[in-house]
Amino acid sequence: MASTLPVFHSLTPSDLKPSEWHPFMVGAVAPRPVAFASTIDAEGRVNLSPYSFFNAFSANPPILVFSPANRVRDNTQKHTLQNVREVPEVVINICDFALVEQMSLASTEYEKGVNEFTKAGLTELASEQVRPPRVAEAPAAFECVVEQIIELGQNHGAGNLIICRVVRAHFRQDILLPDATGIDPFKLDAVARLGGDWYCRASGASLFEVPKPNRHIGIGFDQLPEHLRTSDVLTGNELGRLANIERDALPTPEQVEEFKSEPMVAYLINKYHGNAPEFKNQLLQLGRQFLSEGRLVEAWKALLLEVPN
């Protein structure tokens, strides 16, 4: 892994106008899931608007939090915030790729009282435990009561944390895992917000797995052999995957020796006999290939092979 440190462009938020700071923050803190929030006011008028300052913060109690920020332009507050002060209930609908253009259209700053369901061509579906309707086209929806609203400031761009407790949730059948124990990410086709006009789509080849370290105790970077830690071939991600192996799962010296009989390894030994630098490079490349295929133990065997003199 290369050890050269990058050059940084450093900023102090208080030195900038909110409009100048905002693109840096939302551009770097990304991707962000979108809370497609439906609310009603005291007169029963429906509002629907997306917010990318949003995430899940607790499973028990089930808490979702999103933040309608004061408008940077004129410091006015969003209709969603006004509504939940009047009727402390909200449905947080989840947006998938099939819904993204209509969701974006609903972010238009229509006058208060205008129903964005109508403007965005979406279908109101009656909720079961709260008054605001949910979006029928959304793959998932969380009916929530508003537990607390925390104002983070009075300035232009200041956030207002709306802490929501989920009281009922709805998940479209086709996005569930076969045993209905959770959500299949390949079927959800989720979208998330980046900076500017940009979004990203979590589907297909963009999805990947990383084994969770809390399932076992990996050996850590500091226990990697020096020739691996200082390699200019292996990336930080690849070293991280190697360091996530449990000590008792490491191949033994005998297993590494036996690995020399594998056809690919035997071929490399024969081809690069007497050329130690190139043989070392080929072992690193073979280890990378095994890692890309999820074959962690084989990668270790290749990388622990001794380079002949």
Side-chain angles (χ1 to χ4, degrees), residues 33-77:
V34 179
F36 200 15
S38 51
T39 58
I40 62 171
D41 64 12
E43 298 178 32
R45 296 178 297 182
V46 173
N47 180 268
L48 178 65
S49 187
Y51 297 93
S52 68
F53 289 1
F54 161 64
N55 221 309
F57 285 83
S58 173
N60 186 23
I63 299 294
L64 305 177
V65 179
F66 72 102
S67 177
N70 298 344
R71 294 184 179 91
V72 173
R73 179 183 66 254
D74 55 11
N75 205 30
T76 56
Q77 295 188 332

Side-chain angles (χ1 to χ4, degrees), residues 131-183:
R131 282 163 283 183
R134 68 185 206 257
V135 176
E137 292 82 0
F142 300 89
E143 299 182 22
C144 306
V145 295
V146 176
E147 295 281 305
Q148 190 177 5
I149 300 172
I150 302 176
E151 293 184 358
L152 299 181
Q154 303 295 324
N155 301 323
H156 297 240
N160 301 272
L161 301 185
I162 300 179
I163 301 176
C164 311
R165 176 170 54 85
V166 180
V167 295
R168 186 74 168 163
H170 310 272
F171 307 98
R172 205 170 59 210
Q173 287 285 342
D174 64 294
I175 68 169
L176 300 179
L177 292 168
D179 59 1
T181 58
I183 307 300

Side-chain angles (χ1 to χ4, degrees), residues 8-21:
F8 289 93
H9 177 64
S10 301
L11 301 170
T12 300
S14 59
D15 292 341
L16 304 174
K17 296 177 182 178
S19 59
E20 295 171 335
W21 165 247

Side-chain angles (χ1 to χ4, degrees), residues 186-229:
F186 288 92
K187 296 177 180 177
L188 178 58
D189 201 8
V191 295
R193 194 78 166 86
L194 302 171
D197 292 338
W198 291 97
Y199 288 78
C200 67
R201 182 180 185 181
S203 65
S206 68
L207 298 179
F208 60 93
E209 289 184 290
V210 177
K212 291 184 178 180
N214 61 4
R215 292 176 182 160
H216 54 255
I217 305 299
I219 63 172
F221 257 68
D222 58 325
Q223 298 300 307
L224 294 175
E226 183 179 0
H227 76 281
L228 298 183
R229 289 201 314 272

Side-chain angles (χ1 to χ4, degrees), residues 39-44 82-90 131-132 146:
T39 58
I40 62 171
D41 64 12
E43 298 178 32
Q82 297 170 9
N83 285 0
V84 296
R85 293 189 189 281
E86 296 177 12
V87 179
E89 299 175 347
V90 60
R131 282 163 283 183
V146 176

